[in-house]
Amino acid sequence: MKNKTPRKTRKQLQAEKETASQNLVQKANAKDDPLEKLTKFHSLTLNDGSTVELSCSRVTELSGETIVWIFDLMERNMKTLYIESIWGWDEHKKQTELTEECAYYLIATHRGRMVGFSHFRFDMDHSVEVLYCYELQLEPSERRKGIGQFMMQALEAMATDNQMQKVVLTVLTKNPIACSFFHKLRYKIDVTSPPSSEDTTYCILSKQNLRTA
Ligand SMILES: CC(C)(COP(=O)(O)OP(=O)(O)OC[C@H]1O[C@@H](n2cnc3c(N)ncnc32)[C@H](O)[C@@H]1OP(=O)(O)O)[C@@H](O)C(=O)NCCC(=O)NCCS
């Protein structure tokens, strides 16, 4: 017998795909702690035998003291670079972005002191479900110990665990350390990145083949 079900148009299929992606993002955003069951990423032992602990929560769960430290580290690490870019440094705008309700924070603690954070979100980006890494910031004294790499691996594991297609981030082209770091971690220019020219002050990187926890 002939199947009378009409075939779906490309537009309908696209709409269905987008709805499925949005559902995944919504499901991910319903979690209070997306790192909770990824126990492998709760701690890292450094070469000197000391331990770095990672914790994850919504911005709304962070203490006032933690938020103040986040703003302060952000400014110490990035203000000069932002001023040299097309973005400029707008303190109020940055603080608003850092504290938007949908923001999650991955915080690294070493010897009882906060030493690094990543602000990230589960979101739709150009119709694709992604984990967007808005920031990765480490205290200067804690760099080059493998903490940044471990934090990115934790983000990748959370992206995989929540069926996101990729981890996406923006990097300033005049930030050579960050460029080397993400190159080492095998991040590539994303399809949504602006075409490179001498005036381009940032690029968008992503990683698609994500690790599992
Ligand atoms: C970029 C940043 C997060 C890297 O974190 P980190 O903990 O120091 O990096 P790791 O120790 O995990 O380094 C992993 C790899 O990245 C590369 N890398 C890291 N720092 C580097 C540097 N200063 N110069 C060259 N390569 C570097 C290396 O290949 C390194 O591997 P190796 O140590 O085995 O050689 C940190 O430097 C930082 O907070 N910078 C200021 C804020 C910033 O620019 N953030 C990025 C915004 S997009």
Side-chain angles (χ1 to χ4, degrees), residues 31-42 54-56 106 120 154-155 157-158:
K31 290 186 181 167
D32 288 332
D33 177 2
L35 193 70
E36 190 177 14
K37 63 180 182 110
L38 303 173
T39 51
K40 186 172 151 188
F41 296 99
H42 288 187
L54 294 190
S55 62
C56 184
L106 182 67
F120 69 96
L155 294 184
M158 286 189 276

Side-chain angles (χ1 to χ4, degrees), residues 136-138 143-146 148-149 175 177 180-181 184:
L136 177 66
Q137 303 291 335
L138 262 85
R143 295 183 194 161
R144 227 53 210 270
K145 297 178 181 178
Q149 180 163 358
N175 187 353
I177 292 176
S180 304
F181 171 76
K184 169 80 186 281

